[in-house]
Amino acid sequence: MRHWRVGVVMAMALLWVGPAGAQQPDPPGQAVGIEPVHQAYLFAHMMHEDYGRLYYSVSLDGLHWTALNGGRRVCDDYRGHPDICKGHDGRYYLVGNRNDSAPDISFWVSDDLIRWERYSDVRPDLPRTPDYAQALPRIGAPKLFYDADSSQYVLTWHTPHQHGTPEDAERYWASQRTLFLTSKDLKTFSDRPRRLFDWDMATIDVILHKQRDRYYALVKDERYPTLDWPTGKTVRVSSSPALLGPYSEPSAPISPNFREAPTLIPSPDGKVWYLYYEQYPGVSYGLSVATDLDGPWHQISGYTSFSDWDKYSLPPKVRHGCMIAISRAEYDALVACTSWPGTAEEQALTFFGWSDQHVQVDGNADHLIGAIDAMNALPGRAWPESVGGAVAEPAFVFGLGDLTEWPSQAARQAYEQRVTRRLRFPSYDVAGNHDIGGNSPVPTVLDWLIARHGALRYTFEQGDVLFVALFSEYDESLNSPAQPISKEALSYLRQTLANVPKGKPVIVATHLCFDAITNHDELVDALGDANVLCILGGHYHKAKVTRYRQIDFIQLPSPAPRSPDEVTVFRITANRLVAIPFDYTKNEWATDKNKILDKPIHGPVRIE
């Protein structure tokens, strides 16, 4: 009996030890001993610390990925969630947008995946979407699919119809619906967006693929997972016999919860599908495989830190994008590339600034047209010789308050129409005293700004510069255009700058200009030791630069009647800030030194 027990224990020990040291089975789909159908792969993606910018990783087996360009960007012009497809002319097309609030979707084109050139833009007319009139002005994660059979592109994205609240932030995400446009050449598009799915469920990150005679939509179910909705935040599959539907009800989940941004590639032998998805926010990547898009799917082991279990690997901190199959020659050229044409050692950020638009109570905004058309036409114009080069396309336009003469619905709607439809670029705004409503306050404009930017006081980042939009309450009882920056605004500024990494460039923007601020020292003291490049203001309708306690205050011009017909153009590099007004009536740059700032700075520097 005793010997029997020892034998059983030893046998059990051998069973336990054996698998731990054994090599686990490899994923299916590898081209073992045969010529691969798909020779190599490209992963165009973002990085956790540089969200919305373009990076590359490559693979020969679709499982093990290596970062290119030393883990640095491969194209500085690009903004968005990278998505690439091969198009009607055999070239590659890349789609993106600057942020969810930007009204435009942009396209780049490349012959070799190395040199990207701007190709076109489209501005979806969201309010005209059938059965979706309540669509909010938001465009999330555009994706592009080219259908060779019908010779057309399908451009998809997600747009919500409800704002989140402090009590229910998920309401915003639960209201996302997938919309689309079609195009033959990415120059002209179908006249208005449409909803891709007949069924009513929150979806984002939709990608389209064709298998045999059916079209497949891989979607992220954007409802939050609960006992009543256990499929929330998973990847699911829907299919249709026709490109534009109707698509079937989504399948059961093919990923765990809290996964998004699916991307799909065929295996090297062409017999298996590899589906990658991100466990957000930037935690890891999962991989599921199937021989058919209808399933069944199973997961592959990875990210375990055990080499015999890790069957795939990606560079650390990669965020979502898209994977595509490429040729071995394209792979070799990408790996060999040491000089990426879309990058530059000196990063330049361009933006335009204006203030005090004063759209009339009845909605008359005709006086804005000259300034808007001038800004639309400025890219490509030669800078003054002291600066050199040409004006780049701006990352955004900054408006510093008094959008309206008084915040009527007509005035607010007219301003929104001008800056989201006629103006070609994304825009940000800060509320001014007229937008509050003076002694007869109404929340019309303030509510619109909160819906647009998330709050009246907010921050955003462009070109590695942090912008602080600093709304300051206005005290009508002082009966004066000169006002202190409010205590609430100063508190917000201190708290915000306290959390900014040391040395990071910051620009503060508020409605009041230097001459209208009565508590300059309190404001400058609130900056602490932050690297504040300048403080922007408006209020007095004309361009002016004032230096106080080593801080430059730049006053932006107004397009309102009886004001100078100017907008200010900014250019920021690693060591220089330039701000020069452009007179759009005289069609010339300002030369008054009291309006111009050109100074050395400790500006944005790319982290190597």
Side-chain angles (χ1 to χ4, degrees):
M1 179 71 70
R2 185 176 179 182
H3 294 293
W4 177 83
R5 286 178 178 171
V6 171
V8 169
V9 171
M10 291 180 65
M12 291 178 66
L14 289 172
L15 288 172
W16 175 257
V17 171
Q23 182 69 30
Q24 303 304 314
D26 288 327
Q30 293 299 296
V32 180
I34 61 171
E35 185 71 18
V37 177
H38 302 286
Q39 300 173 328
Y41 304 88
L42 170 66
F43 183 19
H45 57 85
M46 307 181 286
M47 296 297 291
H48 187 71
E49 67 277 6
D50 200 18
Y51 199 82
R53 308 306 290 268
L54 185 60
Y55 292 78
Y56 279 174
S57 296
V58 291
S59 174
L60 289 173
D61 62 3
L63 297 173
H64 301 91
W65 300 83
T66 303
L68 293 183
N69 196 30
R72 297 184 294 270
R73 296 176 192 164
V74 297
C75 177
D76 288 323
D77 185 44
Y78 180 79
R79 302 291 192 283
H81 293 205
D83 197 63
I84 298 172
C85 77
K86 205 164 192 178
H88 63 287
D89 53 4
R91 296 189 294 174
Y92 290 100
Y93 289 87
L94 168 67
V95 63
N97 63 336
R98 291 188 176 273
N99 51 61
D100 284 7
S101 63
D104 295 79
I105 298 174
S106 300
F107 303 91
W108 290 257
V109 65
S110 175
D111 293 312
D112 57 8
L113 297 165
I114 295 173
R115 299 162 182 81
W116 289 103
E117 297 179 358
R118 286 295 288 269
Y119 181 75
S120 64
D121 300 276
V122 62
R123 182 171 294 191
D125 194 352
L126 297 175
R128 294 187 61 216
T129 306
D131 303 318
Y132 206 52
Q134 70 275 37
L136 298 180
R138 307 284 290 184
I139 295 173
K143 310 290 184 188
L144 191 61
F145 173 72
Y146 180 67
D147 180 42
D149 290 341
S150 61
S151 301
Q152 66 177 329
Y153 296 88
V154 181
L155 171 67
T156 59
W157 69 91
H158 51 265
T159 289
H161 60 266
Q162 287 187 314
H163 294 291
T165 66
E167 298 76 24
D168 185 10
E170 276 295 322
R171 188 176 75 163
Y172 173 84
W173 294 105
S175 76
Q176 300 281 352
R177 299 296 183 268
T178 298
L179 309 183
F180 75 91
L181 290 171
T182 59
S183 176
K184 290 289 188 180
D185 56 5
L186 299 181
K187 292 286 189 179
T188 58
F189 294 81
S190 49
D191 63 341
R192 56 183 177 175
R194 291 168 52 194
R195 291 176 61 167
L196 184 60
F197 305 120
D198 295 336
W199 32 268
D200 195 35
M201 186 187 86
T203 55
I204 70 169
D205 294 347
V206 171
I207 60 172
L208 298 178
H209 276 268
K210 188 175 186 184
Q211 179 184 260
R212 295 185 293 274
D213 59 350
R214 288 190 72 81
Y215 294 89
Y216 288 79
L218 285 83
V219 309
K220 181 194 175 188
D221 178 344
E222 192 55 358
R223 289 284 299 270
Y224 198 84
T226 65
L227 292 175
D228 297 324
W229 196 273
T231 63
K233 310 294 186 185
T234 66
V235 178
R236 303 170 69 181
V237 180
S238 180
S239 68
S240 169
L243 174 63
L244 303 180
Y247 280 85
S248 64
E249 293 280 338
S251 69
I254 61 173
S255 79
N257 298 101
F258 298 104
R259 304 300 192 271
E260 66 180 5
T263 185
L264 186 71
I265 52 173
S267 65
D269 69 3
K271 297 178 180 180
V272 176
W273 292 105
Y274 290 174
L275 174 69
Y276 285 88
Y277 38 79
E278 180 185 317
Q279 179 180 349
Y280 60 94
V283 177
S284 67
Y285 257 85
L287 170 61
S288 291
V289 300
T291 57
D292 192 283
L293 292 179
D294 287 314
W297 293 85
H298 72 270
Q299 285 184 266
I300 300 299
S301 177
Y303 278 96
T304 68
S305 299
F306 291 93
S307 60
D308 54 332
W309 282 82
D310 283 342
K311 296 302 176 181
Y312 64 94
S313 61
L314 293 95
K317 297 185 178 181
V318 295
R319 298 296 304 271
H320 41 270
C322 78
M323 295 176 179
I324 60 172
I326 59 176
S327 69
R328 181 58 190 257
E330 290 171 323
Y331 171 92
D332 290 340
L334 289 170
V335 172
C337 183
T338 57
S339 178
W340 295 82
T343 61
E345 291 301 318
E346 184 181 67
Q347 302 297 303
L349 169 67
T350 299
F351 68 96
F352 301 158
W354 63 341
S355 186
D356 297 85
Q357 293 84 3
H358 288 280
V359 175
Q360 298 302 297
V361 176
D362 63 0
N364 187 337
D366 290 347
H367 58 282
L368 304 187
I369 292 175
I372 291 174
D373 288 352
M375 288 189 282
N376 287 341
L378 268 169
R381 185 181 185 88
W383 279 99
E385 289 185 8
S386 61
V387 179
V391 176
E393 183 166 312
F396 62 93
V397 175
F398 217 159
L400 296 193
D402 285 357
L403 289 57
T404 60
E405 184 67 24
W406 187 82
S408 66
Q409 282 287 359
R412 194 277 300 164
Q413 290 171 356
Y415 183 78
E416 179 181 13
Q417 185 179 45
R418 294 299 188 275
V419 299
T420 63
R421 297 191 182 183
R422 193 175 188 106
L423 182 65
R424 292 199 301 116
F425 314 115
S427 62
Y428 297 89
D429 289 287
V430 179
N433 52 295
H434 281 259
D435 302 318
I436 300 171
N439 290 317
S440 301
V442 293
T444 307
V445 171
L446 302 187
D447 286 349
W448 178 69
L449 290 173
I450 292 172
R452 196 160 187 250
H453 302 306
L456 292 177
R457 286 184 276 267
Y458 60 96
T459 63
F460 63 95
E461 189 166 323
Q462 290 281 359
D464 299 322
V465 178
L466 179 70
F467 290 82
V468 182
L470 190 67
F471 168 70
S472 180
E473 289 78 2
Y474 197 87
D475 188 351
E476 291 290 344
S477 69
L478 296 178
N479 196 30
S480 171
Q483 296 270 325
I485 299 295
S486 69
K487 293 181 179 179
E488 296 85 352
L490 291 173
S491 176
Y492 176 85
L493 183 60
R494 292 189 197 96
Q495 293 175 12
T496 299
L497 296 183
N499 294 314
V500 174
K502 186 174 178 62
K504 185 175 184 64
V506 177
I507 290 179
V508 178
T510 191
H511 176 61
L512 297 177
C513 60
F514 178 84
D515 291 339
I517 296 172
T518 60
N519 56 343
H520 301 118
D521 288 316
E522 279 190 277
L523 175 58
V524 175
D525 289 344
L527 304 179
D529 61 355
N531 180 22
V532 176
L533 305 183
C534 61
I535 296 178
L536 309 181
H539 198 46
Y540 281 178
H541 290 216
K542 61 181 181 180
K544 183 180 180 181
V545 175
T546 304
R547 189 168 179 82
Y548 180 77
R549 287 180 53 186
Q550 308 306 309
I551 299 294
D552 290 293
F553 289 75
I554 302 177
Q555 184 174 312
L556 300 186
S558 163
R562 299 179 298 281
S563 299
D565 293 335
E566 295 176 333
V567 294
T568 298
V569 183
F570 293 79
R571 185 175 188 268
I572 299 173
T573 65
N575 55 19
R576 186 182 186 188
L577 186 155
V578 175
I580 307 178
F582 179 78
D583 188 318
Y584 50 87
T585 297
K586 297 179 181 178
N587 196 33
E588 63 185 22
W589 294 101
T591 56
D592 184 345
K593 293 183 178 180
N594 293 319
K595 297 181 176 182
I596 297 171
L597 181 64
D598 188 347
K599 69 171 186 176
I601 60 170
H602 295 292
V605 178
R606 180 191 295 178
I607 299 174
E608 297 292 340

